[in-house]
Amino acid sequence: MCGIAGFKSKLSLDNNIIKKMNDSLFNRGPDSDGYYFDTGFTGGMRRLKINDLVNGDQPLFNKDKSVVLFYNGEIYNYSYLRNLLENKGYKFKTNSDGEVICHLYDEYSEDLFSMLDGMFAISLWIKKEEKLILARDIAGEKPLYYFKPSNNEIVYASTIKALSFHPSFKSDLNLDAIWDLPTFTWTPQPNTIFSNIKSFPHSHFMIIDNNGTNLKKYNFKYTDDLKFGSEKELISYTKQLVENSVNDRLLSDVPVGSFLSGGLDSSIVTYLASKNIKKLNTYTIGFENTEDIQHGLSDESNYAEKFAKYLGTSHKTLKVTASNFLSDLKSFVSSMDQPFSIPSGLGIKAISQQAKLDGIKVLLSGDCADECFGGYSWYPYLNSEFLDKNKSTLSDLSFHDYSIDNNEKIKTINSYPSYKQAWAWHYYASEEEKKSIFNKEFYESRLSSLRFFKEFNQDEHWSREEYIAQDRDFYLRNEMLQKLDRMTMANSIEGRVPFASPKILSLSSKLKYSHFYRDGKIKWLLKEAFADVIPREIIDRPKHGFNVPLDYWFRDQWSNLLLSCFSRDSNLFKLGIIHDKSKEVIVKMLKNKKKLNGPILFSFLVLELWLEEYKDYI
């Protein structure tokens, strides 16, 4: 999806611009394209045909064609909303789930967004009022980027790359985003790698007209009060809620498959989907079975294979090596649109490639259960019995550092103020650590990456629920959802995330810490909800995650590639981002086997490859 709009003065819009922008979105929609041209507005869409394969091309319209819709995504409560509108006398011309949006606008105006259970980026051109409305879903599953060439213009698209075809595109790099990358391994929204381009905020809509720009937040309307008489009722409700979310996300006129890692979350999603789809296609990745200090052995494909056999799915395990992923690395970087260095994305991309060959166009994922039900391995230590507020001499220790005794590490992290703990539990390079790699002239004027945690909550002492809420608000949207969308759409596959449904997000926000962690179990509530249908060996297995053995590869087959990023010939050096001794620091990091440095090192490799691709722009 892409568009250009201008207000007050009637802009002369070059139709070739929108066509170039739209063509760049081909992978996101290879099946058809559509355009709309009007005075002051032009829009385009590449379609991936999932529902109403014959009549669902865009744009879609209301009855008198005064409301023009382009949208990317799915509306899962489409049937309910269509019945609601038909009972009010509205007539539908297609069976596309998106058509409800046009008629909902006629009936409810901007309140329509609070009625949508789905993943979407929406563009509505209101012809009579010469008004543009943009909106993004509650969770932030579908991407939407924009910039304003002037106060009276806006340019938007599903990718940053599409925006680069507009003549007013500015390629000035966001230096703070580069500084943030080794800490998070991505750029926190609404920022992007380019200074003047913003990511549209999730659960918001924007009205752009002759009066200017008005950004508003909305909430999902159909959320229960979640009042329960007992925990037994809560457990039953949770099971039904997850089952409903999975079933809703089976809405499709094309084949649906599922990621299956062998862990709890994907096993639940796959089990529920397999109840409705005969011979469901399932996929997992198998690695070289290397070991790291946090996760143990990296390959868990045997668990997935065993569960797939138990369910009777049509299962494939894709065995990958360092060489396999290396050959796909440049494509991975290009597909992510901006620097994004989560190596598990390579696995998602590989599975998506295979699914496409198998004729699958929709893949279900177990992502986001950790953030919604409390699944991370440090959650048991939040404000724990290790709590010690005595000032620590170790000021930049993260949970990924295994160079000291675990009890001492937990005590140290718990001694930090809460905003710094939020970094230490989950993320990677510290502010001081980055200074040893970046050029001093580069980092002297950079903003601290810890600013995002202070923006979430300025209080020094957070509750345990607030740490989990911060992961749900920040990590879930910036990493999990972004990774799945970009890597599946790179192969024209639609990734769907049942655990990111508005109702599950709402439930999670109301849970207590004892629902997340109890009796030595993380994800206590989710495990209790599905204990009667998921095998005990999956329920009781320690948290593993989808872990690419980066540290091992960087010391072996990827070593030369990594070190070349810190030479004088690299883009990182030529742009003054790193200094001439940075390679020595990296070599020391490679030798340190007591800390997981792979994510930090991978961020610099990805940044170098991205700069190489975009060097003609910057």
Side-chain angles (χ1 to χ4, degrees), residues 113-375:
F113 302 114
S114 66
M115 304 172 72
L116 303 179
D117 177 3
M119 56 176 183
F120 53 81
I122 290 172
S123 160
L124 283 170
W125 174 244
I126 316 303
K127 185 177 176 65
K128 293 176 182 178
E129 302 175 56
E130 295 187 340
K131 176 171 70 176
L132 178 68
I133 304 174
L134 301 176
R136 195 166 174 224
D137 62 73
I138 290 280
E141 292 186 65
K142 283 300 172 185
L144 182 60
Y145 299 97
Y146 72 98
F147 72 94
K148 298 193 70 178
S150 71
N151 289 335
N152 302 326
E153 300 171 77
I154 190 166
V155 185
Y156 63 90
S158 296
T159 68
I160 293 172
K161 197 166 294 182
L163 296 178
S164 70
F165 289 95
H166 193 277
S168 296
F169 169 78
K170 294 181 180 178
S171 59
D172 298 339
L173 291 176
N174 181 347
L175 301 185
D176 286 322
I178 293 175
W179 176 251
D180 292 333
L181 190 63
T183 296
F184 302 115
T185 64
W186 29 260
T187 298
Q189 301 173 40
N191 300 325
T192 72
I193 191 64
F194 293 111
S195 295
N196 71 319
I197 294 177
K198 296 295 181 185
S199 175
F200 196 91
H202 66 88
S203 64
H204 280 74
F205 66 91
M206 180 188 288
I207 301 170
I208 311 105
D209 58 17
N210 287 330
N211 297 317
T213 300
N214 190 4
L215 182 67
K216 297 182 179 181
K217 183 173 174 57
Y218 70 91
N219 297 304
F220 186 57
K221 180 178 181 179
Y222 305 111
T223 301
D224 297 330
D225 292 335
L226 305 177
K227 295 177 181 178
F228 302 97
S230 67
E231 278 198 338
K232 185 177 180 180
E233 291 175 354
L234 173 59
I235 291 168
S236 177
Y237 176 86
T238 299
K239 184 177 183 179
Q240 190 61 57
L241 189 62
V242 173
E243 184 165 2
N244 291 345
S245 183
V246 172
N247 290 343
D248 288 345
R249 280 147 187 79
L250 299 180
L251 174 70
S252 177
D253 292 334
V254 295
V256 176
S258 184
F259 292 97
L260 180 60
S261 71
L264 176 67
D265 312 329
S266 65
S267 295
I268 289 173
V269 170
T270 302
Y271 161 75
L272 293 172
S274 70
K275 291 170 64 178
N276 293 279
I277 299 176
K278 188 177 181 180
K279 275 298 177 184
L280 178 72
N281 287 68
T282 56
Y283 302 88
T284 193
I285 288 285
F287 294 112
E288 303 160 273
N289 213 6
T290 58
E291 187 172 6
D292 70 46
I293 51 180
Q294 180 174 348
H295 307 104
L297 294 173
S298 59
D299 186 14
E300 58 172 355
S301 60
N302 60 313
Y303 296 103
E305 290 165 358
K306 186 175 181 180
F307 189 60
K309 186 176 181 180
Y310 169 76
L311 294 178
T313 68
S314 179
H315 186 73
K316 287 186 179 179
T317 298
L318 280 65
K319 293 290 185 181
V320 297
T321 65
S323 298
N324 296 140
F325 274 180
L326 185 60
S327 65
D328 208 27
L329 198 52
K330 287 186 178 180
S331 175
F332 165 77
V333 172
S334 180
S335 298
M336 283 309 308
D337 207 27
Q338 60 177 328
F340 185 96
S341 56
I342 302 298
S344 57
L346 286 159
I348 295 172
K349 191 168 186 289
I351 286 175
S352 299
Q353 288 170 342
Q354 182 60 53
K356 184 176 183 179
L357 292 174
D358 294 340
I360 302 296
K361 297 186 79 170
V362 174
L363 281 171
L364 301 173
S365 167
D367 285 339
C368 301
D370 287 329
E371 296 83 5
C372 289
F373 290 102

Side-chain angles (χ1 to χ4, degrees), residues 565 569-572 603-612:
C565 298
D569 293 327
S570 70
N571 295 296
L572 293 172
S603 70
F604 283 99
L605 172 57
V606 166
L607 179 59
E608 172 66 18
L609 294 174
W610 184 88
L611 289 168
E612 181 65 24

Side-chain angles (χ1 to χ4, degrees), residues 13 59 64 108 139 226 238 243 296 312 398 402 413 417 432 525 547 609:
L13 300 174
D64 65 2
Y108 299 101
L226 305 177
T238 299
E243 184 165 2
S398 80
Y402 290 81
I413 294 175
E432 290 303 314
L525 176 59
N547 304 299
L609 294 174

Side-chain angles (χ1 to χ4, degrees), residues 52 191 213 470 482 510 527:
D52 193 356
N191 300 325
T213 300
Q470 201 278 335
Q482 190 172 188
K510 295 173 174 65
K527 289 178 178 179

